[in-house]
Structure formats: C-alpha cells, structure tokens
PDB file of all heavy atoms in Angstrom:
ATOM      1  N   GLY A 655      -2.085 -17.246 -34.983  1.00 98.00           N
ATOM      2  CA  GLY A 655      -1.348 -18.508 -34.735  1.00 98.00           C
ATOM      3  C   GLY A 655      -0.136 -18.398 -33.862  1.00 98.00           C
ATOM      4  O   GLY A 655       0.616 -19.375 -33.749  1.00 98.00           O
ATOM      5  N   ARG A 656       0.113 -17.247 -33.255  1.00 98.00           N
ATOM      6  CA  ARG A 656       1.261 -17.089 -32.374  1.00 98.00           C
ATOM      7  C   ARG A 656       1.057 -15.881 -31.461  1.00 98.00           C
ATOM      8  O   ARG A 656       0.229 -15.009 -31.713  1.00 98.00           O
ATOM      9  CB  ARG A 656       2.536 -16.890 -33.198  1.00 98.00           C
ATOM     10  CG  ARG A 656       2.535 -15.645 -34.076  1.00 98.00           C
ATOM     11  CD  ARG A 656       3.795 -15.536 -34.943  1.00 98.00           C
ATOM     12  NE  ARG A 656       4.986 -15.451 -34.132  1.00 98.00           N
ATOM     13  CZ  ARG A 656       5.976 -16.374 -34.138  1.00 98.00           C
ATOM     14  NH1 ARG A 656       5.861 -17.457 -34.884  1.00 98.00           N
ATOM     15  NH2 ARG A 656       7.044 -16.226 -33.375  1.00 98.00           N
ATOM     16  N   ILE A 657       1.847 -15.856 -30.387  1.00 98.00           N
ATOM     17  CA  ILE A 657       1.889 -14.672 -29.496  1.00 98.00           C
ATOM     18  C   ILE A 657       3.347 -14.480 -29.119  1.00 98.00           C
ATOM     19  O   ILE A 657       3.995 -15.353 -28.539  1.00 98.00           O
ATOM     20  CB  ILE A 657       1.051 -14.882 -28.220  1.00 98.00           C
ATOM     21  CG1 ILE A 657      -0.439 -15.018 -28.580  1.00 98.00           C
ATOM     22  CG2 ILE A 657       1.238 -13.728 -27.251  1.00 98.00           C
ATOM     23  CD1 ILE A 657      -1.327 -15.363 -27.405  1.00 98.00           C
ATOM     24  N   ASP A 658       3.894 -13.310 -29.491  1.00 98.00           N
ATOM     25  CA  ASP A 658       5.284 -13.017 -29.253  1.00 98.00           C
ATOM     26  C   ASP A 658       5.525 -12.138 -28.042  1.00 98.00           C
ATOM     27  O   ASP A 658       6.568 -12.212 -27.400  1.00 98.00           O
ATOM     28  CB  ASP A 658       5.869 -12.315 -30.494  1.00 98.00           C
ATOM     29  CG  ASP A 658       5.771 -13.198 -31.719  1.00 98.00           C
ATOM     30  OD1 ASP A 658       6.604 -14.080 -31.869  1.00 98.00           O
ATOM     31  OD2 ASP A 658       4.829 -12.989 -32.510  1.00 98.00           O
ATOM     32  N   VAL A 659       4.521 -11.328 -27.721  1.00 98.00           N
ATOM     33  CA  VAL A 659       4.660 -10.369 -26.597  1.00 98.00           C
ATOM     34  C   VAL A 659       3.345 -10.314 -25.813  1.00 98.00           C
ATOM     35  O   VAL A 659       2.248 -10.339 -26.420  1.00 98.00           O
ATOM     36  CB  VAL A 659       5.010  -8.962 -27.128  1.00 98.00           C
ATOM     37  CG1 VAL A 659       4.944  -7.929 -25.980  1.00 98.00           C
ATOM     38  CG2 VAL A 659       6.351  -8.932 -27.805  1.00 98.00           C
ATOM     39  N   LEU A 660       3.454 -10.307 -24.519  1.00 98.00           N
ATOM     40  CA  LEU A 660       2.349 -10.071 -23.638  1.00 98.00           C
ATOM     41  C   LEU A 660       2.645  -8.863 -22.776  1.00 98.00           C
ATOM     42  O   LEU A 660       3.692  -8.845 -22.075  1.00 98.00           O
ATOM     43  CB  LEU A 660       2.056 -11.308 -22.756  1.00 98.00           C
ATOM     44  CG  LEU A 660       1.098 -11.108 -21.604  1.00 98.00           C
ATOM     45  CD1 LEU A 660      -0.340 -10.816 -22.104  1.00 98.00           C
ATOM     46  CD2 LEU A 660       1.061 -12.339 -20.654  1.00 98.00           C
ATOM     47  N   VAL A 661       1.807  -7.840 -22.810  1.00 98.00           N
ATOM     48  CA  VAL A 661       1.947  -6.675 -21.971  1.00 98.00           C
ATOM     49  C   VAL A 661       0.786  -6.647 -20.984  1.00 98.00           C
ATOM     50  O   VAL A 661      -0.378  -6.633 -21.389  1.00 98.00           O
ATOM     51  CB  VAL A 661       1.965  -5.383 -22.792  1.00 98.00           C
ATOM     52  CG1 VAL A 661       2.079  -4.173 -21.848  1.00 98.00           C
ATOM     53  CG2 VAL A 661       3.077  -5.392 -23.793  1.00 98.00           C
ATOM     54  N   ASN A 662       1.125  -6.657 -19.720  1.00 98.00           N
ATOM     55  CA  ASN A 662       0.089  -6.668 -18.634  1.00 98.00           C
ATOM     56  C   ASN A 662       0.049  -5.284 -17.973  1.00 98.00           C
ATOM     57  O   ASN A 662       0.969  -4.888 -17.299  1.00 98.00           O
ATOM     58  CB  ASN A 662       0.362  -7.718 -17.609  1.00 98.00           C
ATOM     59  CG  ASN A 662       0.201  -9.112 -18.166  1.00 98.00           C
ATOM     60  OD1 ASN A 662      -0.838  -9.444 -18.743  1.00 98.00           O
ATOM     61  ND2 ASN A 662       1.244  -9.929 -18.023  1.00 98.00           N
ATOM     62  N   SER A 663      -1.032  -4.544 -18.286  1.00 95.00           N
ATOM     63  CA  SER A 663      -1.245  -3.278 -17.607  1.00 95.00           C
ATOM     64  C   SER A 663      -2.320  -3.495 -16.514  1.00 95.00           C
ATOM     65  O   SER A 663      -2.772  -4.636 -16.306  1.00 95.00           O
ATOM     66  CB  SER A 663      -1.708  -2.223 -18.627  1.00 95.00           C
ATOM     67  OG  SER A 663      -1.732  -0.939 -18.039  1.00 95.00           O
ATOM     68  N   ALA A 664      -2.723  -2.446 -15.834  1.00 89.00           N
ATOM     69  CA  ALA A 664      -3.660  -2.593 -14.742  1.00 89.00           C
ATOM     70  C   ALA A 664      -4.439  -1.308 -14.535  1.00 89.00           C
ATOM     71  O   ALA A 664      -3.977  -0.224 -14.919  1.00 89.00           O
ATOM     72  CB  ALA A 664      -2.957  -2.995 -13.431  1.00 89.00           C
ATOM     73  N   GLY A 665      -5.602  -1.435 -13.875  1.00 81.00           N
ATOM     74  CA  GLY A 665      -6.332  -0.296 -13.429  1.00 81.00           C
ATOM     75  C   GLY A 665      -5.869   0.147 -12.076  1.00 81.00           C
ATOM     76  O   GLY A 665      -4.735   0.011 -11.707  1.00 81.00           O
ATOM     77  N   HIS A 666      -6.809   0.695 -11.284  1.00 86.00           N
ATOM     78  CA  HIS A 666      -6.487   1.191  -9.968  1.00 86.00           C
ATOM     79  C   HIS A 666      -7.182   0.386  -8.889  1.00 86.00           C
ATOM     80  O   HIS A 666      -8.381   0.163  -8.970  1.00 86.00           O
ATOM     81  CB  HIS A 666      -6.848   2.657  -9.849  1.00 86.00           C
ATOM     82  CG  HIS A 666      -6.126   3.533 -10.833  1.00 86.00           C
ATOM     83  ND1 HIS A 666      -4.783   3.870 -10.684  1.00 86.00           N
ATOM     84  CD2 HIS A 666      -6.554   4.122 -11.995  1.00 86.00           C
ATOM     85  CE1 HIS A 666      -4.435   4.627 -11.696  1.00 86.00           C
ATOM     86  NE2 HIS A 666      -5.447   4.798 -12.513  1.00 86.00           N
ATOM     87  N   GLY A 667      -6.433  -0.043  -7.898  1.00 79.00           N
ATOM     88  CA  GLY A 667      -7.028  -0.824  -6.795  1.00 79.00           C
ATOM     89  C   GLY A 667      -7.386   0.036  -5.600  1.00 79.00           C
ATOM     90  O   GLY A 667      -7.185   1.242  -5.619  1.00 79.00           O
ATOM     91  N   PRO A 668      -7.868  -0.581  -4.556  1.00 84.00           N
ATOM     92  CA  PRO A 668      -8.312   0.138  -3.372  1.00 84.00           C
ATOM     93  C   PRO A 668      -7.165   0.878  -2.683  1.00 84.00           C
ATOM     94  O   PRO A 668      -6.023   0.455  -2.654  1.00 84.00           O
ATOM     95  CB  PRO A 668      -8.862  -0.966  -2.436  1.00 84.00           C
ATOM     96  CG  PRO A 668      -9.137  -2.123  -3.370  1.00 84.00           C
ATOM     97  CD  PRO A 668      -8.110  -2.038  -4.450  1.00 84.00           C
ATOM     98  N   ARG A 669      -7.529   2.024  -2.096  1.00 85.00           N
ATOM     99  CA  ARG A 669      -6.577   2.836  -1.321  1.00 85.00           C
ATOM    100  C   ARG A 669      -7.246   3.264  -0.029  1.00 85.00           C
ATOM    101  O   ARG A 669      -8.396   3.683  -0.026  1.00 85.00           O
ATOM    102  CB  ARG A 669      -6.182   4.109  -2.134  1.00 85.00           C
ATOM    103  CG  ARG A 669      -5.388   3.818  -3.374  1.00 85.00           C
ATOM    104  CD  ARG A 669      -5.228   5.055  -4.233  1.00 85.00           C
ATOM    105  NE  ARG A 669      -4.597   6.162  -3.488  1.00 85.00           N
ATOM    106  CZ  ARG A 669      -4.464   7.398  -4.002  1.00 85.00           C
ATOM    107  NH1 ARG A 669      -4.866   7.676  -5.240  1.00 85.00           N
ATOM    108  NH2 ARG A 669      -3.879   8.337  -3.298  1.00 85.00           N
ATOM    109  N   ALA A 670      -6.491   3.154   1.083  1.00 92.00           N
ATOM    110  CA  ALA A 670      -6.964   3.586   2.377  1.00 92.00           C
ATOM    111  C   ALA A 670      -5.794   3.545   3.320  1.00 92.00           C
ATOM    112  O   ALA A 670      -4.713   3.057   2.987  1.00 92.00           O
ATOM    113  CB  ALA A 670      -8.109   2.730   2.894  1.00 92.00           C
ATOM    114  N   GLN A 671      -6.002   4.070   4.531  1.00 92.00           N
ATOM    115  CA  GLN A 671      -4.971   3.936   5.580  1.00 92.00           C
ATOM    116  C   GLN A 671      -4.728   2.446   5.809  1.00 92.00           C
ATOM    117  O   GLN A 671      -5.669   1.630   5.794  1.00 92.00           O
ATOM    118  CB  GLN A 671      -5.462   4.662   6.831  1.00 92.00           C
ATOM    119  CG  GLN A 671      -4.314   4.991   7.796  1.00 92.00           C
ATOM    120  CD  GLN A 671      -4.059   3.842   8.793  1.00 92.00           C
ATOM    121  OE1 GLN A 671      -4.837   2.919   8.909  1.00 92.00           O
ATOM    122  NE2 GLN A 671      -2.937   3.960   9.484  1.00 92.00           N
ATOM    123  N   ILE A 672      -3.507   2.081   6.077  1.00 91.00           N
ATOM    124  CA  ILE A 672      -3.063   0.658   5.976  1.00 91.00           C
ATOM    125  C   ILE A 672      -3.890  -0.280   6.827  1.00 91.00           C
ATOM    126  O   ILE A 672      -4.248  -1.391   6.353  1.00 91.00           O
ATOM    127  CB  ILE A 672      -1.568   0.552   6.306  1.00 91.00           C
ATOM    128  CG1 ILE A 672      -1.014  -0.865   6.000  1.00 91.00           C
ATOM    129  CG2 ILE A 672      -1.265   0.939   7.727  1.00 91.00           C
ATOM    130  CD1 ILE A 672      -0.878  -1.141   4.563  1.00 91.00           C
ATOM    131  N   ILE A 673      -4.286   0.075   8.049  1.00 95.00           N
ATOM    132  CA  ILE A 673      -5.017  -0.876   8.841  1.00 95.00           C
ATOM    133  C   ILE A 673      -6.548  -0.767   8.642  1.00 95.00           C
ATOM    134  O   ILE A 673      -7.325  -1.484   9.274  1.00 95.00           O
ATOM    135  CB  ILE A 673      -4.690  -0.750  10.356  1.00 95.00           C
ATOM    136  CG1 ILE A 673      -5.133   0.588  10.926  1.00 95.00           C
ATOM    137  CG2 ILE A 673      -3.209  -0.985  10.593  1.00 95.00           C
ATOM    138  CD1 ILE A 673      -5.119   0.594  12.457  1.00 95.00           C
ATOM    139  N   GLU A 674      -6.965   0.176   7.793  1.00 94.00           N
ATOM    140  CA  GLU A 674      -8.360   0.343   7.527  1.00 94.00           C
ATOM    141  C   GLU A 674      -8.823  -0.366   6.247  1.00 94.00           C
ATOM    142  O   GLU A 674     -10.014  -0.286   5.863  1.00 94.00           O
ATOM    143  CB  GLU A 674      -8.740   1.827   7.433  1.00 94.00           C
ATOM    144  CG  GLU A 674      -8.525   2.544   8.801  1.00 94.00           C
ATOM    145  CD  GLU A 674      -8.727   4.040   8.692  1.00 94.00           C
ATOM    146  OE1 GLU A 674      -9.041   4.525   7.588  1.00 94.00           O
ATOM    147  OE2 GLU A 674      -8.592   4.700   9.719  1.00 94.00           O
ATOM    148  N   ILE A 675      -7.908  -1.047   5.573  1.00 96.00           N
ATOM    149  CA  ILE A 675      -8.230  -1.770   4.322  1.00 96.00           C
ATOM    150  C   ILE A 675      -8.881  -3.107   4.746  1.00 96.00           C
ATOM    151  O   ILE A 675      -8.323  -3.879   5.512  1.00 96.00           O
ATOM    152  CB  ILE A 675      -6.965  -1.991   3.473  1.00 96.00           C
ATOM    153  CG1 ILE A 675      -6.330  -0.678   3.159  1.00 96.00           C
ATOM    154  CG2 ILE A 675      -7.374  -2.767   2.221  1.00 96.00           C
ATOM    155  CD1 ILE A 675      -4.981  -0.788   2.513  1.00 96.00           C
ATOM    156  N   SER A 676     -10.056  -3.310   4.210  1.00 97.00           N
ATOM    157  CA  SER A 676     -10.801  -4.558   4.553  1.00 97.00           C
ATOM    158  C   SER A 676     -10.233  -5.767   3.877  1.00 97.00           C
ATOM    159  O   SER A 676      -9.464  -5.633   2.917  1.00 97.00           O
ATOM    160  CB  SER A 676     -12.264  -4.398   4.147  1.00 97.00           C
ATOM    161  OG  SER A 676     -12.355  -4.319   2.713  1.00 97.00           O
ATOM    162  N   ASP A 677     -10.582  -6.932   4.342  1.00 97.00           N
ATOM    163  CA  ASP A 677     -10.168  -8.194   3.666  1.00 97.00           C
ATOM    164  C   ASP A 677     -10.601  -8.149   2.203  1.00 97.00           C
ATOM    165  O   ASP A 677      -9.842  -8.553   1.308  1.00 97.00           O
ATOM    166  CB  ASP A 677     -10.797  -9.401   4.339  1.00 97.00           C
ATOM    167  CG  ASP A 677     -10.120  -9.770   5.645  1.00 97.00           C
ATOM    168  OD1 ASP A 677      -9.255  -8.999   6.123  1.00 97.00           O
ATOM    169  OD2 ASP A 677     -10.445 -10.812   6.224  1.00 97.00           O
ATOM    170  N   GLU A 678     -11.836  -7.716   1.970  1.00 97.00           N
ATOM    171  CA  GLU A 678     -12.361  -7.640   0.625  1.00 97.00           C
ATOM    172  C   GLU A 678     -11.483  -6.769  -0.270  1.00 97.00           C
ATOM    173  O   GLU A 678     -11.159  -7.136  -1.415  1.00 97.00           O
ATOM    174  CB  GLU A 678     -13.809  -7.166   0.631  1.00 97.00           C
ATOM    175  CG  GLU A 678     -14.415  -7.059  -0.758  1.00 97.00           C
ATOM    176  CD  GLU A 678     -15.797  -6.488  -0.733  1.00 97.00           C
ATOM    177  OE1 GLU A 678     -16.276  -6.043   0.343  1.00 97.00           O
ATOM    178  OE2 GLU A 678     -16.465  -6.485  -1.787  1.00 97.00           O
ATOM    179  N   ASP A 679     -11.056  -5.619   0.248  1.00 97.00           N
ATOM    180  CA  ASP A 679     -10.253  -4.726  -0.558  1.00 97.00           C
ATOM    181  C   ASP A 679      -8.822  -5.225  -0.738  1.00 97.00           C
ATOM    182  O   ASP A 679      -8.212  -4.953  -1.783  1.00 97.00           O
ATOM    183  CB  ASP A 679     -10.238  -3.293   0.067  1.00 97.00           C
ATOM    184  CG  ASP A 679     -11.477  -2.504  -0.310  1.00 97.00           C
ATOM    185  OD1 ASP A 679     -12.249  -2.971  -1.180  1.00 97.00           O
ATOM    186  OD2 ASP A 679     -11.716  -1.444   0.295  1.00 97.00           O
ATOM    187  N   TRP A 680      -8.270  -5.946   0.236  1.00 96.00           N
ATOM    188  CA  TRP A 680      -6.989  -6.556  -0.006  1.00 96.00           C
ATOM    189  C   TRP A 680      -7.092  -7.543  -1.123  1.00 96.00           C
ATOM    190  O   TRP A 680      -6.198  -7.659  -1.995  1.00 96.00           O
ATOM    191  CB  TRP A 680      -6.451  -7.275   1.262  1.00 96.00           C
ATOM    192  CG  TRP A 680      -5.810  -6.323   2.240  1.00 96.00           C
ATOM    193  CD1 TRP A 680      -6.204  -6.016   3.516  1.00 96.00           C
ATOM    194  CD2 TRP A 680      -4.575  -5.595   2.064  1.00 96.00           C
ATOM    195  NE1 TRP A 680      -5.332  -5.122   4.100  1.00 96.00           N
ATOM    196  CE2 TRP A 680      -4.321  -4.848   3.221  1.00 96.00           C
ATOM    197  CE3 TRP A 680      -3.669  -5.459   0.988  1.00 96.00           C
ATOM    198  CZ2 TRP A 680      -3.230  -4.014   3.391  1.00 96.00           C
ATOM    199  CZ3 TRP A 680      -2.569  -4.644   1.138  1.00 96.00           C
ATOM    200  CH2 TRP A 680      -2.376  -3.933   2.329  1.00 96.00           C
ATOM    201  N   HIS A 681      -8.153  -8.331  -1.158  1.00 97.00           N
ATOM    202  CA  HIS A 681      -8.345  -9.315  -2.241  1.00 97.00           C
ATOM    203  C   HIS A 681      -8.514  -8.581  -3.575  1.00 97.00           C
ATOM    204  O   HIS A 681      -7.994  -9.042  -4.603  1.00 97.00           O
ATOM    205  CB  HIS A 681      -9.507 -10.225  -1.941  1.00 97.00           C
ATOM    206  CG  HIS A 681      -9.220 -11.294  -0.932  1.00 97.00           C
ATOM    207  ND1 HIS A 681      -8.395 -12.374  -1.211  1.00 97.00           N
ATOM    208  CD2 HIS A 681      -9.582 -11.425   0.375  1.00 97.00           C
ATOM    209  CE1 HIS A 681      -8.301 -13.139  -0.122  1.00 97.00           C
ATOM    210  NE2 HIS A 681      -9.001 -12.589   0.842  1.00 97.00           N
ATOM    211  N   LYS A 682      -9.242  -7.478  -3.582  1.00 96.00           N
ATOM    212  CA  LYS A 682      -9.368  -6.680  -4.803  1.00 96.00           C
ATOM    213  C   LYS A 682      -8.013  -6.165  -5.271  1.00 96.00           C
ATOM    214  O   LYS A 682      -7.702  -6.156  -6.493  1.00 96.00           O
ATOM    215  CB  LYS A 682     -10.298  -5.490  -4.580  1.00 96.00           C
ATOM    216  CG  LYS A 682     -11.786  -5.837  -4.476  1.00 96.00           C
ATOM    217  CD  LYS A 682     -12.620  -4.585  -4.248  1.00 96.00           C
ATOM    218  CE  LYS A 682     -14.103  -4.912  -4.096  1.00 96.00           C
ATOM    219  NZ  LYS A 682     -14.896  -3.701  -3.776  1.00 96.00           N
TER     220      LYS A 682
END
C-alpha cells in the first residue's frame, strides 16, 4: 500500500567509437 524508496539501477548499453554508434544503438 505504499512506496517509500525507488532505486533505479541499470545494465550495460552499447559501446563503440563515438561516430560508429548507430542510431539504433544510441536509442538502446
């Protein structure tokens, strides 16, 4: 009946050389 704390963690997103990241991977 209540929520006092929300903790947002995350997995790992795409990695590549900066101009080689596709639109799809930026959205990911």
Side-chain angles (χ1 to χ4, degrees):
R656 62 183 298 115
I657 296 173
D658 299 280
V659 173
L660 170 64
V661 179
N662 293 307
S663 189
H666 299 286
R669 294 170 56 185
Q671 199 273 346
I672 189 74
I673 66 167
E674 295 175 0
I675 302 170
S676 66
D677 284 8
E678 180 183 6
D679 279 349
W680 278 115
H681 283 287
K682 286 180 182 176

